[in-house]
Amino acid sequence: SRRQARVACKRANKRLCTLAEWQYACTSKGRFNYPYGAKEKRGICNNQKPHLLEKIFGRDPKDWTYDGALNSPKLAREPGFLSKTGEFQQCRTERRVYDLVGNLHEWVSTPADFQTVSKLRRMPLYRRKQPWRPKNGIFVGGFYSNRNELGPGCHYVTFAHQPSYHDYSTGFRCCSDRNKRP
């Protein structure tokens, strides 16, 4: 969950990245839609795989319960889906930050609010409509079974879940302030 991610980052003397920081890093200062460049290249990042829930629990989302399917240990053991960090060598920024697109959704510290959601909805790119409530959490980048339904590459943003939400597709990344490093 985002709450667990914040605690883990704090224990590492870091913090959960903000949405702006994450997107700035992923887009190479706003120049690209993907960590590696402007246009999508299939197979570069760990995304666009078949939906693992369908493979293991069937096609009907009614069978994908939160405590059962969405958090099942079976999902982490299925080979060919989740990859180790850096395994997709070309899925990196020019500063060698790996796996910002695909592999796992990444929580950011920015909460969903009217201003943030309005700004995201005004962006000139396709993003399927999603429900949200103020103070929902935000996760970005998509995971291994996503395509571009909530934005392309670095602009993939989910704001439909509360900060306590967690499932097999969520992870996080920590940030630190350069000038505060020991």
Side-chain angles (χ1 to χ4, degrees), residues 39-112:
K39 296 191 186 231
E40 182 179 25
K41 297 177 186 172
R42 292 183 68 85
I44 297 292
C45 295
N46 187 24
N47 61 347
Q48 301 189 7
K49 293 186 175 181
H51 210 294
L52 185 54
L53 285 174
E54 287 180 3
K55 180 179 179 183
I56 295 178
F57 297 103
R59 292 182 152 261
D60 189 351
K62 291 176 189 165
D63 295 333
W64 305 348
T65 63
Y66 184 73
D67 291 326
L70 289 167
N71 285 293
S72 172
K74 291 180 188 178
L75 299 167
R77 293 190 296 260
E78 189 68 26
F81 287 86
L82 183 62
S83 67
K84 292 182 180 179
T85 300
E87 189 174 323
F88 283 74
Q89 287 288 308
Q90 294 179 309
C91 188
R92 63 177 166 76
T93 67
E94 55 196 16
R95 291 188 165 177
R96 299 193 180 274
V97 179
Y98 289 86
D99 305 316
L100 286 161
V101 170
N103 215 30
L104 289 176
H105 292 293
E106 295 186 15
W107 283 107
V108 293
S109 64
T110 307

Side-chain angles (χ1 to χ4, degrees), residues 105 107 127 130 137-140 142 146 150 156-161:
H105 292 293
W107 283 107
R127 183 177 284 123
Q130 57 184 310
I138 294 176
F139 45 84
V140 292
N146 285 140
L150 296 176
Y156 187 106
V157 179
T158 303
F159 44 78
H161 301 287

Side-chain angles (χ1 to χ4, degrees), residues 1-12 14-16 107-111 163 172 174:
S1 73
R2 187 177 80 178
R3 292 176 181 147
Q4 293 167 316
R6 277 191 167 163
V7 169
C9 288
K10 188 173 183 175
R11 286 183 180 158
K14 296 181 181 181
R15 60 183 168 70
L16 205 54
W107 283 107
V108 293
S109 64
T110 307
F172 64 96
C174 300

Side-chain angles (χ1 to χ4, degrees), residues 27 44-45 47 77 106 118 122 131-132 137-140 167-168 172-173 175 177-178:
T27 62
I44 297 292
C45 295
N47 61 347
R77 293 190 296 260
E106 295 186 15
S118 294
R122 284 192 311 268
W132 74 282
I138 294 176
F139 45 84
V140 292
D167 71 22
Y168 73 106
F172 64 96
R173 177 177 311 257
C175 284
D177 297 316
R178 248 188 224 191

